[in-house]
Amino acid sequence: MEVDDQESQLVEALFQCTTNDRAVLTEQFLRILGNRSNINAGLAEFYLQMNGWNVDEAISSYLDVNRCPDLSMTLIQDMTVGEGESVPPGTPYTKVWRVRNSGTVAWLPGCVLRCTDGQASGSMQIPLETINPGSDFDIKLDLVSPQQPGIYQSKWRACSPDGAYFGDPIWMITIVESGGVLGVTQQLNSSYLR
């Protein structure tokens, strides 16, 4: 479903490209593919010129050349100590997810786990190690719960260095309430393990 949404958004953006002004076409190319870190105006103009200043064709060419290898990630288990417990406002805690490289190639240097939706109460992205196919990896995210009680959710996705998302989305739901014990549970667990 998510791929269909992305494709329909791309098609809608392409239908809005109805000018011959090369500066505007370059701007449209950059806007449509702007979440990829390696794109600049010079690269956009190169692909546009190679495709007769047709934004649709230029984007297709760019995506064909810069297609990610078979990168994939599968969520194996939420390893968070105290998972399901609520957390008091303003409390530090750690979220841990065990994931597997379920693709056919090692994750590329520069791959990250990025918050793509919702409220993150810490870093918006976490570097991923270069993990071989079939190997598991624990992603650790240090957070501080929001100050206001409530239910907070965020969606996290693995992302290649060029901005292409891959693998299972990971949803995080945090329940913040004054009587929460998650922070205490994790502190006790870490003291016990020492």
Side-chain angles (χ1 to χ4, degrees), residues 37-178:
S37 60
N38 66 339
I39 295 181
N40 57 41
L43 187 63
E45 289 172 3
F46 168 78
Y47 279 98
L48 285 162
Q49 187 174 15
M50 293 295 294
N51 289 280
W53 294 91
N54 180 310
V55 176
D56 182 19
E57 294 296 323
I59 289 173
S60 293
S61 293
Y62 173 83
L63 293 174
D64 284 344
V65 170
N66 293 285
R67 185 173 312 275
C68 284
D70 188 17
L71 295 173
S72 190
M73 179 189 75
T74 301
L75 175 64
I76 302 299
Q77 182 178 0
D78 188 328
M79 304 292 290
T80 304
V81 171
E83 171 59 22
E85 295 176 356
S86 60
V87 60
T91 302
Y93 67 103
T94 302
K95 192 74 177 165
V96 182
W97 295 297
R98 178 158 295 155
V99 297
R100 177 171 295 141
N101 178 345
S102 53
T104 59
V105 296
W107 293 342
L108 306 170
C111 285
V112 296
L113 186 71
R114 182 176 293 159
C115 181
T116 60
D117 190 24
Q119 303 115 340
S121 56
S123 176
M124 293 299 286
Q125 68 180 29
I126 306 156
L128 296 175
E129 293 183 16
T130 303
I131 302 296
N132 289 322
S135 298
D136 292 351
F137 175 65
D138 287 349
I139 299 171
K140 179 181 169 188
L141 180 59
D142 292 319
L143 302 160
V144 177
S145 63
Q147 292 295 329
Q148 296 298 317
I151 299 174
Y152 299 85
Q153 70 177 16
S154 57
K155 178 181 173 185
W156 296 77
R157 297 287 313 271
C159 184
S160 70
D162 73 346
Y165 294 110
F166 63 92
D168 291 346
I170 299 175
W171 288 94
M172 179 172 68
I173 298 173
T174 305
I175 301 170
V176 178
E177 54 189 16
S178 58

